[in-house]
């Protein structure tokens, strides 16, 4: 028996090619857990198989390649929509599409490969390596949220977004739920083909069943109702037409008509999507007066626009309460690399390369960070623009607790298959983590009213123009996650890895 491992069962070793092929298959199964497929019943065995392949690798180098192969297939299966932005202007950017998918999948997979290498080095047998992989893969997900500005898309815990289990993010955040998930699937991987395999699988099912039951109990909580009536405007401006000179007035007039549409209950606030104002905010008073007139008696109109400051151009959210001057402004601070700005932009601009989502030369400059806006009808609002909703730290980084999250976005960049639905799912988790309602206005959809449990209470379908009138859900008491963020999870990870490291040193000394 190896240190920390189970009794060995004679078996034929996998050839390197078969191991990599099996790892890729495991990664694809893991990807099937994410929306729009949303089948955790496939994702969990895929994650378990990935951990088992790493735990049984003959050496750390083989473990690295197995982890990378699984990660490459996993991210290719979840992030295939990444080619869509490059197809908006095929002549200019289409050639980049395959490189973007290969580069993104391969680059994100490096986190999995590094996690597998470290796990194999830390473990002293199959069981301890499986446990180590659950820890290092969770840590890799946290690092993905920060390294090179971060990209925490498709974290393993998002396979639970259509189930009650996702409610546990209110207590431990998305990384904490990921840790519980990976530890559960690591149990049968740790037992392998030993006589304890059935017991380990039973324990894993018990852990996940308890998580499901706890989530169901939380869903039974009631949030206080509000009397605030909101209107979300979805103009459905296709990205390849959005900035065409002849189409700009068409989409703007459509948004005005949707804003002014009659309602039995007049809205207290009207919300337009990201960059819905088609002109620079500077000097756009005539357009704002039209928007204000369309909003009628609504105390506030929220909309996305580009604006210019002394620092440069910003992707902004503006609030009009009365008159034609913004009463509040927020500048997006977490910009999309290669989309809204380019690293080394001054050098690349000389070659004619700019961020593909920016409409201004040189791209955008970031705002100062998360901030709260006081908006009539809503109270304290934490604004999030597009990409910012995928980062837990961009929400818990607010100076105080808001009353509501307002998310404006333009998901027309993401196509119509997976990207918009994955973005919506992540937005819903931000609401659960904080126990706050969210109002989400998306250019082409999905615009939605989301309650403090992350449930969509009203929505406009993807690819349809329209307006959505709904009541703002109430907020819950501050969640444990909103009080402590990711510190408890980090403490568990560091303690677990330190313990495995100490055990490894003792084994070497013995």
């Amino acid at each position: 028996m190896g240190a920390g491992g189970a009794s060995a069962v004679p078996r034929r070793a996998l050839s390197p090619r078969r191991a990599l092929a099996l790892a890729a298959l495991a990664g694809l199964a893991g990807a099937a857990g994410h929306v729009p497929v949303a089948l955790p019943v496939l994702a969990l065995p895929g994650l378990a198989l990935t951990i088992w392949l790493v735990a049984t690798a003959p050496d750390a180098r083989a473990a690295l390649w197995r982890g990378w192969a699984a990660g490459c297939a996993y991210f290719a299966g979840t992030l295939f929509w990444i080619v869509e932005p490059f197809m908006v202007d095929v002549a200019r950017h289409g050639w980049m599409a395959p490189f973007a998918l290969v580069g993104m999948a391969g680059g994100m997979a490096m986190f999995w490969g590094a996690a597998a290498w470290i796990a194999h080095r830390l473990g002293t047998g199959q069981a301890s390596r499986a446990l180590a992989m659950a820890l290092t893969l969770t840590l890799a997900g946290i690092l993905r949220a920060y390294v090179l500005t971060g990209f925490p898309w498709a974290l393993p815990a998002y396979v639970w977004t259509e189930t009650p289990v996702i409610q546990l993010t209110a207590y431990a955040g998305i990384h904490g739920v990921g840790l519980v998930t990976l530890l559960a699937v690591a149990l049968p991987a740790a037992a392998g083909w030993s006589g304890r395999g059935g017991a380990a699988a039973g324990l894993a099912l018990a852990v996940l069943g308890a998580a499901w039951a706890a989530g169901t109990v939380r869903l039974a909580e009631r949030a206080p109702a509000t009397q605030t009536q909101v209107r979300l405007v979805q103009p459905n401006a296709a990205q390849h037409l959005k900035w065409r000179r002849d189409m700009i007035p068409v989409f703007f007039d459509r948004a005005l008509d949707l804003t002014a549409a009659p309602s039995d209950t007049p809205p207290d606030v009207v919300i337009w999507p990201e960059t819905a104002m088609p002109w620079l905010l500077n000097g756009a008073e005539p357009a704002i007066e039209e928007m204000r007139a369309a909003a009628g008696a609504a105390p506030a109109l929220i909309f996305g626009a580009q604006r210019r400051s002394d620092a440069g151009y910003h992707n902004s959210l503006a609030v009009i309460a009365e008159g034609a001057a913004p009463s509040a402004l927020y500048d997006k601070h977490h910009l999309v690399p290669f989309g809204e700005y380019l690293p080394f932009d001054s050098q690349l601009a000389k070659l004619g390369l700019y961020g593909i989502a920016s409409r201004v030369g040189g791209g955008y400059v970031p705002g100062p960070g998360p901030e709260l806006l006081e908006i009539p009808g809503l109270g304290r609002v934490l604004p999030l623009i597009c990409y910012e909703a995928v980062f837990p730290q961009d929400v818990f980084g607010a100076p105080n607790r808001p009353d509501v999250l307002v998310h404006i976005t333009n998901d027309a960049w993401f196509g119509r298959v997976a990207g918009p639905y994955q973005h919506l799912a992540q937005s819903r988790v931000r609401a659960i983590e904080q126990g706050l309602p969210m109002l989400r206005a998306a250019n082409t959809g999905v615009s939605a009213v989301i309650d403090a449990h992350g449930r969509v209470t009203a929505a406009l379908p993807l690819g349809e123009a329209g307006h959505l009138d709904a009541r703002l859900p109430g907020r819950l008491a501050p969640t444990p996650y909103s009080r402590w963020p990711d510190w408890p999870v980090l403490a568990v990870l560091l303690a677990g890895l330190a313990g495995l490291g100490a055990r490894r040193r003792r084994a070497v000394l013995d």
Side-chain angles (χ1 to χ4, degrees):
M1 180 185 295
S7 299
V9 175
R11 60 181 182 272
R12 193 173 176 182
L14 284 170
S15 69
R17 285 186 179 182
R18 287 184 178 179
L20 292 180
L22 195 56
L25 184 63
L28 286 176
H34 296 273
V35 293
V37 180
L39 288 176
V41 70
L42 292 180
L44 299 180
L47 292 169
L49 179 56
T50 298
I51 293 174
W52 179 81
L53 286 167
V54 169
T56 57
D59 53 47
R61 187 170 181 270
L64 182 154
W65 284 111
R66 291 180 182 189
W68 183 86
C72 203
Y74 175 87
F75 289 109
T78 51
L79 301 178
F80 63 88
W81 56 264
I82 204 75
V83 303
E84 296 285 353
F86 300 91
M87 306 310 291
V88 171
D89 187 347
V90 176
R92 188 178 181 187
H93 300 122
W95 64 272
M96 302 181 189
F99 298 101
L101 179 57
V102 172
M104 182 63 76
M108 292 294 101
M110 291 173 64
F111 287 91
W112 282 37
W117 185 84
I118 294 171
H120 200 281
R121 292 296 301 266
L122 277 177
T124 54
Q126 180 173 324
S128 59
R129 286 169 185 160
L131 173 61
M133 184 60 177
L135 300 177
T136 57
L137 201 53
T138 303
L139 185 59
I142 294 175
L143 291 175
R144 280 206 294 122
Y146 293 91
V147 172
L148 298 177
T149 78
F151 189 70
W153 205 284
L155 292 168
Y158 284 123
V159 303
W160 297 115
T161 53
E162 307 309 302
T163 76
V165 175
I166 201 64
Q167 294 299 313
L168 298 190
T169 55
Y171 304 97
I174 195 68
H175 301 298
V177 174
L179 175 60
V180 171
T181 302
L182 291 171
L183 286 172
V185 299
L187 288 172
W193 290 337
S194 72
R196 297 192 295 257
L203 179 58
L205 289 174
V207 169
L208 298 178
W212 192 293
T216 302
V217 170
R218 185 173 187 273
L219 282 170
E221 295 176 348
R222 288 192 176 186
T226 78
Q227 299 302 311
T228 301
Q229 190 75 11
V230 301
R231 170 168 289 186
L232 307 180
V233 173
Q234 184 170 298
N236 195 37
Q239 194 59 43
H240 68 287
L241 300 174
K242 178 177 170 66
W243 298 109
R244 241 175 57 178
R245 192 178 299 273
D246 61 324
M247 294 301 295
I248 284 175
V250 172
F251 295 131
F252 184 67
D253 290 345
R254 181 186 295 172
L256 291 176
D257 291 342
L258 294 170
T259 300
S263 172
D264 294 336
T265 306
D268 297 299
V269 62
V270 178
I271 306 177
W272 287 22
E274 178 186 16
T275 62
M277 153 80 77
W279 302 282
L280 276 180
L281 190 59
N282 313 74
E285 286 80 8
I288 292 176
E289 289 175 358
E290 289 188 77
M291 295 163 64
R292 181 67 266 181
L301 170 64
I302 303 171
F303 62 96
Q306 300 170 102
R307 76 179 191 94
R308 184 181 62 248
S309 73
D310 292 340
Y313 291 91
H314 302 272
N315 184 356
S316 303
L317 175 147
V319 182
I320 303 296
E322 54 185 50
S327 59
L329 281 171
Y330 165 73
D331 296 324
K332 184 178 182 182
H333 74 278
H334 208 142
L335 301 177
V336 181
F338 302 99
E340 294 175 307
Y341 77 98
L342 284 178
F344 312 108
D345 58 332
S346 58
Q347 291 81 8
L348 293 174
K350 295 175 183 177
L351 302 176
L353 297 176
Y354 303 98
I356 64 173
S358 171
R359 302 302 303 173
V360 292
Y364 299 123
V365 295
E371 57 183 292
L372 298 181
L373 305 180
E374 193 72 33
I375 297 179
L378 291 181
R380 290 177 300 181
V381 169
L382 178 66
L384 301 166
I385 300 180
C386 191
Y387 186 61
E388 291 175 328
V390 309
F391 294 93
Q393 66 266 31
D394 285 353
V395 179
F396 63 63
N400 293 294
R401 190 172 194 244
D403 297 310
V404 60
L405 307 174
V406 170
H407 182 211
I408 63 171
T409 186
N410 177 21
D411 288 0
W413 287 107
F414 300 163
R416 300 181 58 132
V417 178
Y421 297 109
Q422 291 174 5
H423 199 197
L424 172 64
Q426 293 172 88
S427 301
R428 291 169 51 207
V429 175
R430 301 292 84 78
I432 300 169
E433 287 171 340
Q434 301 297 322
L436 294 172
M438 175 183 283
L439 301 174
R440 186 177 197 267
N443 169 26
T444 55
V446 177
S447 297
V449 176
I450 300 168
D451 73 8
H453 290 101
R455 294 173 294 205
V456 174
T457 61
L460 287 169
L462 185 66
E464 293 185 14
H467 70 273
L468 177 64
D469 292 337
R471 190 70 58 84
L472 172 68
R475 67 176 187 168
L476 297 170
T479 62
Y481 182 73
S482 70
R483 297 178 184 275
W484 302 314
D486 292 318
W487 295 114
V489 176
L490 282 170
V492 171
L493 289 174
L494 294 177
L497 292 172
L500 288 169
R503 185 180 184 187
R504 172 76 179 182
R505 282 193 296 273
R506 289 196 300 270
V508 170
L509 291 174
D510 292 343

